[in-house]
Structures are given as structure tokens and as C-alpha cells.
Short mmCIF file of all heavy atoms in Angstrom, two decimals:
data_model
loop_
_atom_site.label_atom_id
_atom_site.label_comp_id
_atom_site.label_asym_id
_atom_site.label_seq_id
_atom_site.Cartn_x
_atom_site.Cartn_y
_atom_site.Cartn_z
N ASN X 1 -1.21 14.14 8.86
CA ASN X 1 -0.68 15.23 7.87
C ASN X 1 0.85 14.98 8.02
O ASN X 1 1.54 15.68 8.83
CB ASN X 1 -1.23 16.50 8.25
CG ASN X 1 -0.74 17.52 7.23
OD1 ASN X 1 0.20 17.34 6.48
ND2 ASN X 1 -1.47 18.64 7.14
N PHE X 2 1.40 14.19 7.06
CA PHE X 2 2.79 13.94 7.25
C PHE X 2 3.68 15.09 6.74
O PHE X 2 4.82 15.30 7.27
CB PHE X 2 3.21 12.73 6.33
CG PHE X 2 2.75 11.43 6.93
CD1 PHE X 2 1.57 10.77 6.54
CD2 PHE X 2 3.54 10.90 7.89
CE1 PHE X 2 1.21 9.61 7.04
CE2 PHE X 2 3.12 9.62 8.59
CZ PHE X 2 1.94 9.01 8.11
N ALA X 3 3.12 15.98 5.91
CA ALA X 3 3.93 17.18 5.58
C ALA X 3 4.01 18.10 6.74
O ALA X 3 5.18 18.58 7.03
CB ALA X 3 3.20 17.93 4.39
N LEU X 4 2.94 18.42 7.47
CA LEU X 4 2.96 19.23 8.68
C LEU X 4 3.89 18.50 9.77
O LEU X 4 4.67 19.17 10.53
CB LEU X 4 1.62 19.43 9.20
CG LEU X 4 1.48 20.33 10.44
CD1 LEU X 4 2.06 21.69 10.17
CD2 LEU X 4 0.06 20.36 10.88
N LEU X 5 3.71 17.25 9.83
CA LEU X 5 4.58 16.47 10.83
C LEU X 5 6.08 16.52 10.46
O LEU X 5 6.87 16.79 11.47
CB LEU X 5 4.15 14.95 10.77
CG LEU X 5 4.89 14.06 11.71
CD1 LEU X 5 4.75 14.53 13.19
CD2 LEU X 5 4.46 12.59 11.57
N ALA X 6 6.45 16.49 9.28
CA ALA X 6 7.80 16.58 8.86
C ALA X 6 8.39 18.01 9.10
O ALA X 6 9.51 18.19 9.65
CB ALA X 6 8.04 16.31 7.37
N ASP X 7 7.52 19.00 8.97
CA ASP X 7 7.95 20.37 9.28
C ASP X 7 8.14 20.77 10.67
O ASP X 7 8.91 21.62 11.09
CB ASP X 7 7.01 21.45 8.59
CG ASP X 7 7.06 21.32 7.04
OD1 ASP X 7 8.05 20.96 6.53
OD2 ASP X 7 6.03 21.73 6.46
N ASN X 8 7.37 19.95 11.52
CA ASN X 8 7.39 20.27 13.06
C ASN X 8 7.67 19.01 13.79
O ASN X 8 7.03 18.77 14.84
CB ASN X 8 6.12 20.91 13.42
CG ASN X 8 5.78 22.17 12.73
OD1 ASN X 8 6.20 23.22 13.09
ND2 ASN X 8 4.98 22.04 11.59
N LEU X 9 8.45 18.12 13.30
CA LEU X 9 8.68 16.79 13.79
C LEU X 9 9.05 16.77 15.28
O LEU X 9 8.35 16.13 16.13
CB LEU X 9 9.71 15.94 13.01
CG LEU X 9 9.89 14.55 13.49
CD1 LEU X 9 8.59 13.78 13.29
CD2 LEU X 9 11.04 13.90 12.67
N ALA X 10 10.04 17.58 15.69
CA ALA X 10 10.56 17.55 16.99
C ALA X 10 9.52 18.11 17.97
O ALA X 10 9.28 17.55 19.04
CB ALA X 10 11.80 18.47 17.10
N VAL X 11 8.76 19.12 17.51
CA VAL X 11 7.74 19.86 18.45
C VAL X 11 6.55 18.82 18.60
O VAL X 11 6.14 18.51 19.76
CB VAL X 11 7.30 21.10 17.81
CG1 VAL X 11 6.11 21.61 18.63
CG2 VAL X 11 8.43 22.13 17.80
N ILE X 12 6.10 18.22 17.54
CA ILE X 12 4.96 17.31 17.57
C ILE X 12 5.27 16.07 18.41
O ILE X 12 4.48 15.73 19.27
CB ILE X 12 4.49 16.95 16.17
CG1 ILE X 12 4.09 18.18 15.37
CG2 ILE X 12 3.34 15.98 16.29
CD1 ILE X 12 2.93 18.96 16.00
N VAL X 13 6.46 15.51 18.28
CA VAL X 13 6.79 14.34 18.95
C VAL X 13 6.98 14.65 20.38
O VAL X 13 6.44 13.88 21.33
CB VAL X 13 8.17 13.73 18.40
CG1 VAL X 13 8.60 12.62 19.31
CG2 VAL X 13 7.85 13.20 17.01
N ALA X 14 7.56 15.80 20.73
CA ALA X 14 7.74 16.21 22.16
C ALA X 14 6.40 16.45 22.85
O ALA X 14 6.23 16.02 23.91
CB ALA X 14 8.66 17.44 22.23
N LEU X 15 5.52 17.08 22.16
CA LEU X 15 4.23 17.37 22.72
C LEU X 15 3.46 16.07 22.92
O LEU X 15 2.78 15.92 23.93
CB LEU X 15 3.44 18.30 21.77
CG LEU X 15 3.83 19.72 21.63
CD1 LEU X 15 3.04 20.46 20.57
CD2 LEU X 15 3.71 20.41 23.05
N THR X 16 3.57 15.20 21.97
CA THR X 16 2.83 13.80 22.10
C THR X 16 3.40 13.14 23.34
O THR X 16 2.60 12.61 24.11
CB THR X 16 3.07 12.99 20.82
OG1 THR X 16 2.52 13.69 19.69
CG2 THR X 16 2.22 11.76 20.98
N LEU X 17 4.69 12.96 23.42
CA LEU X 17 5.24 12.20 24.54
C LEU X 17 4.94 12.90 25.85
O LEU X 17 4.76 12.21 26.83
CB LEU X 17 6.77 11.98 24.25
CG LEU X 17 7.17 11.19 23.00
CD1 LEU X 17 8.68 11.12 22.93
CD2 LEU X 17 6.60 9.73 23.20
N GLY X 18 4.99 14.22 25.73
CA GLY X 18 4.74 15.00 26.97
C GLY X 18 3.31 14.77 27.46
O GLY X 18 3.03 14.68 28.72
N LEU X 19 2.36 14.74 26.53
CA LEU X 19 0.96 14.55 26.83
C LEU X 19 0.76 13.13 27.45
O LEU X 19 0.14 12.99 28.55
CB LEU X 19 0.10 14.63 25.62
CG LEU X 19 -1.39 14.22 25.72
CD1 LEU X 19 -2.07 15.24 26.72
CD2 LEU X 19 -2.08 14.18 24.45
N ILE X 20 1.38 12.14 26.88
CA ILE X 20 1.24 10.76 27.38
C ILE X 20 1.86 10.66 28.80
O ILE X 20 1.31 10.09 29.69
CB ILE X 20 1.92 9.77 26.41
CG1 ILE X 20 1.10 9.63 25.11
CG2 ILE X 20 2.03 8.38 27.12
CD1 ILE X 20 1.76 8.89 24.09
N ALA X 21 2.92 11.29 28.99
CA ALA X 21 3.69 11.29 30.29
C ALA X 21 2.88 12.00 31.37
O ALA X 21 2.65 11.48 32.45
CB ALA X 21 5.02 11.84 30.27
N ALA X 22 2.30 13.14 31.00
CA ALA X 22 1.52 13.92 31.95
C ALA X 22 0.22 13.19 32.40
O ALA X 22 -0.11 13.12 33.56
CB ALA X 22 1.18 15.35 31.39
N LYS X 23 -0.48 12.72 31.39
CA LYS X 23 -1.73 11.88 31.65
C LYS X 23 -1.45 10.71 32.41
O LYS X 23 -2.22 10.33 33.39
CB LYS X 23 -2.55 11.66 30.35
CG LYS X 23 -3.12 12.87 29.74
CD LYS X 23 -3.96 12.55 28.55
CE LYS X 23 -5.29 11.98 29.01
NZ LYS X 23 -6.24 11.83 27.90
N ALA X 24 -0.33 10.03 32.10
CA ALA X 24 -0.09 8.82 32.77
C ALA X 24 0.27 9.09 34.23
O ALA X 24 -0.12 8.31 35.21
CB ALA X 24 1.13 8.03 32.09
N ALA X 25 0.94 10.24 34.53
CA ALA X 25 1.27 10.58 35.82
C ALA X 25 0.03 10.82 36.72
O ALA X 25 -0.07 10.47 37.83
CB ALA X 25 2.20 11.80 35.86
N VAL X 26 -0.88 11.59 36.15
CA VAL X 26 -2.15 11.94 36.75
C VAL X 26 -2.92 10.67 37.01
O VAL X 26 -3.38 10.41 38.20
CB VAL X 26 -3.06 12.84 35.93
CG1 VAL X 26 -4.41 12.91 36.52
CG2 VAL X 26 -2.35 14.29 35.77
N LEU X 27 -3.04 9.71 36.10
CA LEU X 27 -3.76 8.43 36.19
C LEU X 27 -3.08 7.65 37.29
O LEU X 27 -3.74 6.91 38.08
CB LEU X 27 -3.74 7.77 34.86
CG LEU X 27 -4.66 8.37 33.79
CD1 LEU X 27 -4.28 7.86 32.46
CD2 LEU X 27 -6.14 8.06 34.13
N TYR X 28 -1.73 7.55 37.32
CA TYR X 28 -1.00 6.74 38.38
C TYR X 28 -1.35 7.24 39.76
O TYR X 28 -1.49 6.35 40.66
CB TYR X 28 0.46 6.76 38.01
CG TYR X 28 1.27 5.71 38.86
CD1 TYR X 28 1.32 4.39 38.38
CD2 TYR X 28 1.92 5.97 40.02
CE1 TYR X 28 2.03 3.43 38.97
CE2 TYR X 28 2.59 5.03 40.75
CZ TYR X 28 2.62 3.76 40.17
OH TYR X 28 3.28 2.78 40.94
N VAL X 29 -1.30 8.54 39.87
CA VAL X 29 -1.66 9.09 41.19
C VAL X 29 -3.06 8.64 41.65
O VAL X 29 -3.32 8.32 42.82
CB VAL X 29 -1.42 10.68 41.22
CG1 VAL X 29 -1.92 11.26 42.54
CG2 VAL X 29 0.14 10.98 41.06
N LEU X 30 -3.92 8.90 40.66
CA LEU X 30 -5.39 8.49 41.05
C LEU X 30 -5.46 7.03 41.37
O LEU X 30 -6.29 6.62 42.09
CB LEU X 30 -6.22 8.90 39.81
CG LEU X 30 -6.46 10.40 39.63
CD1 LEU X 30 -7.24 10.63 38.38
CD2 LEU X 30 -7.15 11.04 40.78
N ALA X 31 -4.76 6.18 40.61
CA ALA X 31 -4.76 4.77 40.93
C ALA X 31 -4.32 4.43 42.34
O ALA X 31 -4.86 3.62 43.00
CB ALA X 31 -3.81 4.02 39.87
N ILE X 32 -3.27 5.22 42.79
CA ILE X 32 -2.93 5.06 44.15
C ILE X 32 -4.00 5.54 45.17
O ILE X 32 -4.32 4.89 46.12
CB ILE X 32 -1.60 5.84 44.42
CG1 ILE X 32 -0.47 5.27 43.62
CG2 ILE X 32 -1.20 5.79 45.91
CD1 ILE X 32 0.85 6.07 43.63
N VAL X 33 -4.58 6.67 44.85
CA VAL X 33 -5.56 7.24 45.73
C VAL X 33 -6.76 6.30 45.76
O VAL X 33 -7.46 6.10 46.89
CB VAL X 33 -6.00 8.68 45.20
CG1 VAL X 33 -7.28 9.06 46.01
CG2 VAL X 33 -4.87 9.65 45.34
N PHE X 34 -7.20 5.70 44.67
CA PHE X 34 -8.35 4.85 44.66
C PHE X 34 -7.97 3.37 44.83
O PHE X 34 -8.73 2.45 44.61
CB PHE X 34 -9.14 5.01 43.31
CG PHE X 34 -9.95 6.29 43.27
CD1 PHE X 34 -9.40 7.42 42.98
CD2 PHE X 34 -11.26 6.20 43.55
CE1 PHE X 34 -10.13 8.65 42.96
CE2 PHE X 34 -12.05 7.37 43.53
CZ PHE X 34 -11.45 8.54 43.21
N LYS X 35 -6.78 3.18 45.38
CA LYS X 35 -6.30 1.81 45.83
C LYS X 35 -6.31 0.70 44.78
O LYS X 35 -6.63 -0.40 45.09
CB LYS X 35 -7.22 1.45 47.04
CG LYS X 35 -7.12 2.42 48.21
CD LYS X 35 -7.95 1.97 49.41
CE LYS X 35 -7.88 2.97 50.56
NZ LYS X 35 -8.68 2.55 51.74
N LEU X 36 -5.94 1.09 43.51
CA LEU X 36 -5.62 0.03 42.60
C LEU X 36 -4.28 -0.49 42.91
O LEU X 36 -3.35 0.26 43.29
CB LEU X 36 -5.66 0.61 41.11
CG LEU X 36 -7.05 1.02 40.61
CD1 LEU X 36 -6.89 1.52 39.20
CD2 LEU X 36 -8.00 -0.22 40.63
N ARG X 37 -4.03 -1.81 42.59
CA ARG X 37 -2.76 -2.34 43.05
C ARG X 37 -2.08 -3.05 41.87
O ARG X 37 -2.79 -3.58 40.98
CB ARG X 37 -2.91 -3.22 44.27
CG ARG X 37 -3.31 -2.54 45.52
CD ARG X 37 -3.53 -3.56 46.64
NE ARG X 37 -3.57 -2.84 47.96
CZ ARG X 37 -4.70 -2.25 48.45
NH1 ARG X 37 -5.83 -2.39 47.76
NH2 ARG X 37 -4.73 -1.66 49.59
N GLY X 38 -0.83 -3.25 42.05
CA GLY X 38 -0.09 -4.22 41.18
C GLY X 38 -0.24 -3.81 39.73
O GLY X 38 -0.09 -2.60 39.27
N ALA X 39 -0.42 -4.85 38.79
CA ALA X 39 -0.48 -4.55 37.44
C ALA X 39 -1.72 -3.68 37.02
O ALA X 39 -1.65 -2.95 36.02
CB ALA X 39 -0.50 -5.86 36.66
N ASP X 40 -2.78 -3.67 37.84
CA ASP X 40 -3.96 -2.92 37.49
C ASP X 40 -3.64 -1.50 37.51
O ASP X 40 -4.22 -0.65 36.78
CB ASP X 40 -5.13 -3.14 38.54
CG ASP X 40 -5.81 -4.48 38.31
OD1 ASP X 40 -6.17 -4.74 37.09
OD2 ASP X 40 -5.94 -5.29 39.16
N ARG X 41 -2.73 -1.06 38.44
CA ARG X 41 -2.34 0.36 38.54
C ARG X 41 -1.67 0.90 37.22
O ARG X 41 -1.96 1.93 36.74
CB ARG X 41 -1.45 0.56 39.75
CG ARG X 41 -1.01 1.94 40.08
CD ARG X 41 -0.07 2.04 41.26
NE ARG X 41 -0.86 1.58 42.50
CZ ARG X 41 -0.27 1.47 43.66
NH1 ARG X 41 1.03 1.69 43.75
NH2 ARG X 41 -0.98 1.16 44.69
#
């Protein structure tokens, strides 16, 4: 929905990047705990 996106561009982009960063952080910690290494992590 580009109309809604244009009206709330900063909020939507910030929420999207925040979601990706938060989930990536959780996943990275789990990768360490479950002993994934190198590029696999």
C-alpha cells in the first residue's frame, strides 16, 4: 500500500529495519549457543 507507506514512511521504514535488526540479533545469539560457526552463523 504505497499511499499508506508514503503517509507513514519514516515510521514504517524504522519499524521494518528495527524488526530485522532485533530478529537478527536473537538469531545470532542462538547461532552462538548452538555452535554454528563462520559464515553459517
Side-chain angles (χ1 to χ4, degrees):
N1 188 337
F2 286 99
L4 181 60
L5 178 61
D7 293 338
N8 302 273
L9 182 61
V11 173
I12 300 298
V13 171
L15 289 175
T16 303
L17 295 179
L19 172 67
I20 292 174
K23 291 187 71 174
V26 171
L27 290 161
Y28 192 83
V29 170
L30 291 175
I32 295 174
V33 173
F34 282 82
K35 299 181 180 179
L36 291 179
R37 291 179 172 81
D40 282 312
R41 185 178 294 174

